[in-house]
Amino acid sequence: MAITQFDSESIKQSITGKLQRYNGITVAEATPQQLYKAVASTVRDQIMQKWMVFRERWINEKGKRVYYLSVEFLTGRALNCNLLNLCSQENYQKALRELNIDLQDILVEEPEPALGNGGLGRLAACFLDSLASLSIPAMGCTIRYEYGLFRQKMVDGQQVELPDSWLQNGNAWEIAAVEDTCQVQFGGRIEEREENGRMVFHLEDAYTIDAVPYDMPVIGYDNQCVNTLRTWSARSRERIDLRSFGEGEYIKAMEEMQMAEVISKVLYPEDKHYEGKMLRLKQHYFFTSATLQNALKTFKRQYGNHLELLPDKVVFHINDTHPGLAIPEMMRLLIDQEGLDWETAQRITYRCMAYTNHTVMAEALERWPVEMMRQTLPRIFMILEELNRRVCESLFQSYPDQWDRIGRMAIIAYGQVHMANLCVALSFSVNGVSQLHGKILTDTIFHDYWLLDRKKFSAITNGITHRRWLLESNPALTSLIRDAIGDGFYKDAQQLERLKPLAEDGAFRDRFDQVKRSNKERLRKLIHQRQNIDFDINFIFDVQAKRLHEYKRQLLNALHIQVLYNRLVDDPGFSMPPRLFLFGAKAAPGYWRAKLIIRYINALSTLIEKHPRARQMLKVVYLENYDVSTAEVLMPAAEISQQLSTAGKEASGTGNMKFMMNGAVTLGTMDGANVEIYEQVGAENIYIFGMRADTVESMYREGIYNPMSIYETNFEIRKAMNQWLDGTVFPSEPLAMQDLYHMLLQGDHGGMADPYFVLKDFGSYSMANRRIVEDYQDRQKWLRMAVINTAMSGYFSSDRTIREYNEKIWHIDPIL
Ligand code: 26Q
């Protein structure tokens, strides 16, 4: 079936028509928000048919599909992305111009769905874009949070959290699929009975909640594919409410309704910090159960009861352990609902499940108290116990009498359900997200499992969609590249490598420079408009943008800025190329030390502004409310990309890739994907500093690290840290920085001092910074490096990542 491609004339007509029919107004009368809605709705019209056709083809061709389960999808705005992928950008631009409207003014009207915290959620969104662009049938599955990640405001240099009510004006892209509404049960007790010679389990007195799916289209680039992002919303069941209403318990019924609906109310703002909150457990089970019920229903519609075919037709990808309850839930459905025996159910389940790990940090590993699991999900807990019994029994065959080892590997041990062990034991595939991370997984937390079945483990380096992170966010660079090497890189990011020889072309470098300057100007305008701060675009734009975490070491960056400040103040002969340090980061609301680091950065900014000489060469700007849309303006403007995590801690990082693609040079440790950026660009085009992961590991093991001796011998560090407490940094609150001071020098409650080696790596970081400013002064040298970085970034397209997942794990035939 041919898909209609709108020309600018029919686009204009449909926009004016929408405004007339829905709002009864003309284009001239419409507010930007009304215009956005009208435009989005015309784009949606174009998508609907394609969406239907693709779904039908998938059904007819009886192909396989991946369900990508993730508690987060940080998609960012959709309108521009959809226009790009439909190849309608130009037509829309033209149509709108003719209506006297600037497309840019419309795009910013779209509320950004902030359904994620950071890397893990953004990765899921990049994966959806690549899956569709590679025509791989896929459904992303998550929760339809009514409130996404909080909006961040700075008040007196401190982070304040505001609610993100992104659905307030409706969501132009979603469609409720009420016909797929299903029920998810919580609590209750299990009744065991024998029926027809078989033990069956009934859940009695459970609390039932409706799961209502809302679908959003995910469009492939210049192809026929439209996949789906399905978000599940919790709704109380009307039946229950009616009974209570009848008994005159109106208020109680309303309360129950609220209790049910709280499940999809809000995204938890903690990232990489596990806390055993019951509501979170309910969230995880809620969307996992709904997804699996729905997948099974869809499967049975196509293949009837041939459940042995399931692993050939569906694969469930478990994005970190959060959707790991998919495993016992699949067992439950196959046994309790479909009547399979345990062994068959377990064999099928195993062959359907693939798991990606995103962290090795102990505090982020998901573990649930046994009692909470038993009470909240009694049948699931029973199944987990039986799975655990069988797993331990088989471990005992391999590791007889090694109880410690078996305890570490068990699904249930020491009163907790260990989600990572569940996922490793019962998935056919386990992968890390960079080569280094994959190696650390099999060397450490999953070592014992790896010894038993090495083939199961792999490392697949993360990627980013170059469509959003280059084509969409950096049109100036895109058009420069297109002029130089053609537009083959739109579909095949590896072709960016053809830019490499152009690093030696002076005229090309000049144009590259012009592009960077225009992007710096665009960022300057945005920050001026949003925060009423101004700066000179001739400063070096040096950026660290990512969640605020101690292991990411924003503190190292800040401490170094303070040292630079002191050099400027203390030595009138010292000068440096003017440098703007930009920070963008949200801190988890309860992570008070991270919030203190935010205050510190803002205090530095104030301190520098007060000094007439320092502020000529140094500026610090804290970007409020860093989100996907901000990143899209920030990345293209960056010249230095700071990636400072303590080696071994950052599983991959993906911001590092976005910066690189936009021509920023990395200043970073040998951690996560930085290692692979280093391999791509070569030692001359990156600034590496700090301890390597193995050294960090042995420092932990040996326990010999003594940051106090560094403080004592390094005058610059000592001076800066003393200024934390003498009123220099916080004139009105000299004790504010005490916690950080003690953390670095003494450690708190029995923990080691400076656990992320800020002081240890400071010297090496400072030296790398000296090399940077020296090289930056040779403009041509710097531009050469920048071009090489863009040229070698094709490897980090998530298209490559998804191809690897498909070749190694999913084995899905694309529908072309
Ligand atoms: C789990 C249970 C309870 C409470 C919180 C959590 C939780 C929530 C979010 C645990 C972890 C996260 C997020 C993790 C994350 O974003 N990890 C990042 O994933 C990226 C994509 O693979 C990597 O590039 C980053 O290195 C990694 O830190």
Side-chain angles (χ1 to χ4, degrees):
M1 198 186 312
I3 307 277
T4 36
Q5 170 79 54
F6 282 19
D7 56 40
S8 71
E9 214 36 60
S10 48
I11 293 170
K12 274 197 296 191
Q13 270 174 27
S14 57
I15 293 172
T16 42
K18 298 259 179 204
L19 287 169
Q20 208 172 70
R21 286 195 303 278
Y22 298 145
N23 307 84
I25 53 174
T26 64
V27 171
E29 288 171 304
T31 65
Q33 175 66 211
Q34 287 170 321
L35 282 170
Y36 159 71
K37 286 230 164 134
V39 171
S41 141
T42 65
V43 175
R44 199 176 104 157
D45 290 347
Q46 287 194 56
I47 298 167
M48 297 308 287
Q49 188 194 12
K50 261 186 121 165
W51 202 0
M52 198 177 70
V53 171
F54 189 79
R55 197 172 45 236
E56 270 171 4
R57 286 197 55 199
W58 170 68
I59 289 168
N60 293 337
E61 293 181 21
K62 297 203 174 330
K64 192 175 180 181
R65 175 199 248 186
V66 55
Y67 289 89
Y68 196 88
L69 278 75
S70 177
V71 80
E72 306 186 356
F73 281 88
L74 194 48
T75 58
R77 290 182 179 135
L79 177 54
N80 201 23
C81 174
N82 289 344
L83 287 176
L84 177 85
N85 287 356
L86 291 167
C87 302
S88 293
Q89 248 180 342
E90 276 172 29
N91 285 346
Y92 265 83
Q93 238 147 21
K94 179 155 180 278
L96 289 170
R97 227 184 358 255
E98 287 165 14
L99 294 172
N100 267 322
I101 301 162
D102 184 348
L103 176 59
Q104 286 307 317
D105 296 341
I106 302 295
L107 297 178
V108 298
E109 286 297 314
E110 177 171 354
E112 166 176 327
L115 308 187
N117 276 284
L120 167 139
R122 183 54 233 177
L123 185 76
C126 284
F127 278 12
L128 287 187
D129 187 78
S130 286
L131 280 161
S133 294
L134 296 171
S135 301
I136 298 173
M139 184 181 260
C141 303
T142 189
I143 298 168
R144 185 173 176 270
Y145 302 104
E146 199 177 320
Y147 294 90
L149 186 62
F150 64 86
R151 282 184 302 121
Q152 177 193 55
K153 221 180 125 50
M154 289 298 169
V155 178
D156 301 326
Q158 309 206 43
Q159 166 177 297
V160 172
E161 299 90 20
L162 301 172
D164 163 59
S165 43
W166 69 292
L167 289 169
Q168 213 159 44
N169 295 319
N171 176 357
W173 304 109
E174 70 182 8
I175 290 171
V178 247
E179 67 284 3
D180 281 341
T181 298
C182 60
Q183 282 75 47
V184 181
Q185 298 194 298
F186 297 94
R189 54 194 167 74
I190 304 298
E191 292 268 325
E192 298 182 33
R193 315 193 258 278
E194 216 184 283
E195 279 174 20
N196 310 322
R198 181 170 187 271
M199 281 306 278
V200 293
F201 302 88
H202 287 278
L203 187 56
E204 305 288 345
D205 300 329
Y207 191 78
T208 304
I209 290 170
D210 275 345
V212 185
Y214 290 75
D215 291 346
M216 292 196 255
V218 183
I219 300 155
Y221 178 73
D222 191 21
N223 65 15
Q224 301 308 316
C225 177
V226 182
N227 280 326
T228 300
L229 171 56
R230 174 159 276 196
T231 66
W232 292 96
S233 185
R235 217 177 46 187
S236 82
R237 296 200 73 195
E238 276 147 278
R239 264 197 292 129
I240 295 176
D241 300 333
L242 272 180
R243 177 169 46 81
S244 311
F245 284 127
E247 286 159 12
E249 296 187 82
Y250 176 76
I251 295 295
K252 184 162 170 273
M254 284 298 179
E255 273 171 7
E256 285 198 355
M257 209 151 94
Q258 280 226 333
M259 291 236 292
E261 288 169 9
V262 76
I263 288 189
S264 56
K265 190 61 75 183
V266 60
L267 168 78
Y268 274 89
E270 288 87 31
D271 105 319
K272 282 168 236 113
H273 182 81
Y274 164 75
E275 235 183 296
K277 287 270 197 305
M278 174 136 54
L279 182 58
R280 212 182 146 111
L281 177 61
K282 288 184 180 168
Q283 285 190 334
H284 293 180
Y285 181 66
F286 168 73
F287 91 95
T288 309
S289 171
T291 297
L292 264 60
Q293 291 183 49
N294 184 245
L296 209 53
K297 187 172 103 180
T298 308
F299 172 86
K300 288 179 73 177
R301 219 181 279 143
Q302 290 189 72
Y303 305 100
N305 280 331
H306 293 286
L307 292 163
E308 71 285 355
L309 278 180
L310 196 67
D312 299 329
K313 301 299 173 188
V314 279
V315 51
F316 297 99
H317 205 96
I318 302 175
N319 194 29
D320 216 299
T321 55
H322 320 144
L325 293 175
I327 292 163
E329 176 67 0
M330 181 52 80
M331 293 291 294
R332 184 184 74 83
L333 293 170
L334 293 179
I335 295 169
D336 295 0
Q337 190 180 296
E338 304 301 327
L340 296 191
D341 62 81
W342 185 283
E343 284 73 20
T344 310
Q346 189 172 331
R347 205 168 44 243
I348 292 174
T349 301
Y350 184 93
R351 292 180 55 216
C352 287
M353 301 289 168
Y355 156 60
T356 298
N357 172 283
H358 296 265
T359 184
V360 288
M361 302 217 312
E363 62 270 33
L365 292 181
E366 206 185 348
R367 292 186 163 103
W368 295 100
V370 157
E371 277 319 307
M372 190 188 292
M373 187 73 81
R374 193 202 309 274
Q375 275 169 29
T376 316
L377 306 167
R379 178 61 182 140
I380 291 299
F381 183 71
M382 271 180 92
I383 293 170
L384 287 170
E385 281 188 307
E386 178 60 12
L387 285 171
N388 182 55
R389 195 187 62 73
R390 287 170 187 248
V391 165
C392 289
E393 200 173 81
S394 115
L395 289 174
F396 192 85
Q397 305 296 315
S398 313
Y399 298 127
D401 290 321
Q402 300 184 39
W403 294 109
D404 263 12
R405 196 175 210 171
I406 294 173
R408 282 198 308 271
M409 298 173 79
I411 298 171
I412 303 175
Y414 312 109
Q416 291 185 315
V417 180
H418 192 313
M419 294 300 288
N421 285 347
L422 168 69
C423 293
V424 172
L426 287 140
S427 303
F428 70 90
S429 164
V430 176
N431 76 284
V433 290
S434 70
Q435 299 310 301
L436 177 63
H437 172 60
K439 176 91 173 70
I440 292 174
L441 285 183
T442 52
D443 283 352
T444 63
I445 57 171
F446 299 153
H447 185 70
D448 295 326
Y449 271 107
W450 174 77
L451 290 173
L452 297 179
D453 184 2
R454 301 186 182 199
K455 295 184 307 301
K456 184 193 270 198
F457 295 86
S458 63
I460 304 183
T461 302
N462 280 168
I464 55 169
T465 165
H466 66 287
R467 284 166 293 275
R468 182 175 291 263
W469 298 108
L470 178 60
L471 309 190
E472 239 191 285
S473 67
N474 202 340
L477 183 56
T478 301
S479 107
L480 173 63
I481 298 173
R482 193 184 341 104
D483 289 349
I485 63 167
D487 62 8
F489 71 102
Y490 281 38
K491 288 205 170 170
D492 173 13
Q494 287 290 350
Q495 289 194 25
L496 287 170
E497 213 171 319
R498 292 166 56 189
L499 287 174
K500 215 174 163 189
L502 290 160
E504 299 308 321
D505 177 335
F508 182 80
R509 286 199 303 267
D510 280 348
R511 294 175 66 198
F512 199 94
D513 192 27
Q514 280 312 311
V515 166
K516 186 59 82 181
R517 289 182 66 82
S518 71
N519 287 323
K520 287 168 82 172
E521 179 60 23
R522 178 171 68 154
L523 177 64
R524 188 190 69 80
K525 284 205 186 104
L526 178 81
I527 295 177
H528 182 73
Q529 171 209 328
R530 283 197 350 194
Q531 289 172 246
N532 197 25
I533 297 173
D534 210 350
F535 42 78
D536 183 344
I537 65 158
N538 291 306
F539 278 46
I540 308 174
F541 279 24
D542 181 320
V543 187
Q544 189 174 18
K546 47 180 82 257
R547 280 301 285 255
L548 219 139
H549 262 288
E550 287 168 90
Y551 85 84
K552 294 177 186 282
R553 297 200 293 193
Q554 281 95 350
L555 185 56
L556 176 58
N557 190 352
L559 182 61
H560 177 254
I561 294 170
Q562 196 185 333
V563 166
L564 290 179
Y565 167 81
N566 284 333
R567 284 182 199 159
L568 284 169
V569 171
D570 296 345
D571 177 1
F574 177 78
S575 98
M576 53 181 262
R579 189 157 163 198
L580 167 66
F581 291 93
L582 283 156
F583 289 87
K586 290 180 182 175
Y591 190 175
W592 53 268
R593 185 172 285 155
K595 290 179 138 181
L596 181 54
I597 295 172
I598 296 181
R599 289 185 67 192
Y600 172 39
I601 295 167
N602 283 317
L604 281 178
S605 175
T606 309
L607 180 66
I608 293 164
E609 289 308 314
K610 284 192 300 206
H611 196 281
R613 203 176 97 83
R615 72 165 178 246
Q616 281 170 18
M617 285 170 268
L618 206 52
K619 188 163 180 84
V620 174
V621 170
Y622 204 107
L623 256 163
E624 224 167 49
N625 197 39
Y626 178 59
D627 57 7
V628 174
S629 311
T630 314
E632 288 170 14
V633 184
L634 182 63
M635 302 289 172
E639 295 173 286
I640 298 171
S641 151
Q642 298 228 28
Q643 307 298 337
L644 314 182
S645 57
T646 310
K649 300 289 173 195
E650 190 71 275
S652 163
T654 45
N656 47 3
M657 303 168 186
K658 295 162 198 163
F659 283 109
M660 174 199 192
M661 194 171 271
N662 285 280
V665 182
T666 302
L667 164 55
T669 50
M670 276 298 211
D671 198 15
N674 296 353
V675 176
E676 291 162 70
I677 293 179
Y678 168 88
E679 286 163 1
Q680 288 292 324
V681 299
E684 332 74 69
N685 298 300
I686 189 168
Y687 296 88
I688 296 292
F689 75 94
M691 287 189 290
R692 306 303 192 245
D694 50 356
T695 317
V696 169
E697 220 14 76
S698 60
M699 296 277 287
Y700 281 129
R701 254 199 327 271
E702 288 158 24
I704 45 166
Y705 175 44
N706 180 14
M708 185 59 91
S709 71
I710 299 175
Y711 170 86
E712 280 163 354
T713 51
N714 186 319
F715 168 76
E716 289 192 307
I717 289 180
R718 191 165 67 250
K719 168 154 186 172
M721 286 180 64
N722 289 345
Q723 288 171 330
W724 290 1
L725 304 183
D726 70 8
T728 309
V729 174
F730 281 111
S732 58
E733 202 185 329
L735 292 185
M737 292 286 283
Q738 226 173 13
D739 166 75
L740 291 176
Y741 186 90
H742 286 132
M743 182 274 293
L744 288 180
L745 297 180
Q746 280 145 31
D748 43 21
H749 17 265
M752 72 182 276
D754 190 14
Y756 297 104
F757 302 103
V758 172
L759 300 192
K760 177 79 188 164
D761 277 347
F762 187 88
S764 154
Y765 178 64
S766 173
M767 291 307 291
N769 269 282
R770 282 180 206 265
R771 287 190 280 131
I772 285 197
V773 289
E774 195 171 302
D775 291 348
Y776 190 85
Q777 278 155 311
D778 181 347
R779 195 71 204 136
Q780 294 309 317
K781 175 175 182 171
W782 187 268
L783 286 169
R784 224 173 264 133
M785 289 198 289
V787 174
I788 297 286
N789 269 272
T790 299
M792 302 313 291
S793 67
Y795 178 76
F796 298 104
S797 165
S798 45
D799 292 357
R800 188 267 313 148
T801 312
I802 288 300
R803 277 196 197 94
E804 276 189 47
Y805 273 87
N806 200 33
E807 276 159 24
K808 293 193 180 132
I809 304 173
W810 302 329
H811 311 294
I812 300 173
D813 291 327
I815 297 189
L816 297 168

